[in-house]
């Protein structure tokens, strides 16, 4: 059995992996929503930020799953990008999909910040 399995990781790290994985999925779903809505939702900069957020969330989760000791760096980057993405998504007012994305990005940013600062 691998020593990188879930039962050998801290609860905080498992929680962070889960948040990153969920955030990755929600960002991808939100990109699809935004492209469907068009207009300001589909602006290049907004789609680029959502894409970067999805990518760093996947990378951050993968880094922790692999047991790589550089997860502090990936989690730090993920926390910052998720925070920016949440702020951006919140600007869309009462759009339910955007609010859901902002909430998930905030949760992911919080857990990644804790991992980056070594609280695990």
């Amino acid at each position: 059995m691998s020593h990188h399995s879930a039962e050998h990781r801290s609860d905080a790290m498992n929680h962070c992996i889960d948040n990153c994985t969920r955030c990755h999925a929600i960002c991808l779903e939100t990109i699809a929503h935004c492209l469907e809505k068009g207009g300001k939702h589909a602006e290049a900069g907004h789609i680029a930020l959502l894409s970067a957020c999805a990518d760093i969330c996947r990378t951050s989760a993968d880094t922790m799953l692999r047991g790589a000791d550089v997860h502090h760096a990936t989690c730090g980057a993920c926390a910052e990008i998720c925070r920016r993405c949440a702020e951006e998504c919140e600007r869309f007012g009462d759009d339910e999909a955007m609010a859901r994305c902002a909430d998930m990005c905030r949760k992911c940013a919080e857990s990644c910040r804790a991992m980056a600062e070594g609280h695990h």
Side-chain angles (χ1 to χ4, degrees):
M1 187 173 78
S2 167
H3 68 282
H4 301 307
S5 58
E7 54 270 22
H8 288 87
R9 286 189 299 263
S10 69
D11 287 344
M13 185 175 282
N14 285 325
H15 178 67
C16 191
I17 291 167
D18 185 50
N19 279 342
C20 286
T21 302
R22 287 171 55 217
C23 197
H24 169 254
I26 286 175
C27 283
L28 292 181
E29 290 168 2
T30 304
I31 290 167
H33 167 77
C34 287
L35 293 174
E36 196 175 291
K37 294 266 297 192
K40 66 176 183 171
H41 282 76
E43 285 175 0
H46 179 61
I47 298 300
L49 180 56
L50 282 163
S51 298
C53 194
D55 288 347
I56 192 64
C57 286
R58 186 184 62 223
T59 299
S60 193
D62 288 355
T63 301
M64 289 181 281
L65 287 164
R66 290 180 180 119
D69 64 5
V70 294
H71 72 266
H72 299 285
T74 54
C75 285
C78 193
E80 174 63 15
I81 294 168
C82 281
R83 182 189 63 77
R84 299 249 322 257
C85 196
E87 288 173 0
E88 177 79 13
C89 287
E90 282 168 352
R91 289 183 31 239
F92 288 82
D94 60 358
D95 186 310
E96 193 178 315
M98 303 308 288
R100 182 179 78 135
C101 190
D103 287 347
M104 189 65 242
C105 285
R106 289 235 181 268
K107 282 189 191 120
C108 192
E110 285 168 22
S111 59
C112 276
R113 190 171 304 107
M115 292 306 297
E117 292 169 359
H119 305 304
H120 58 89

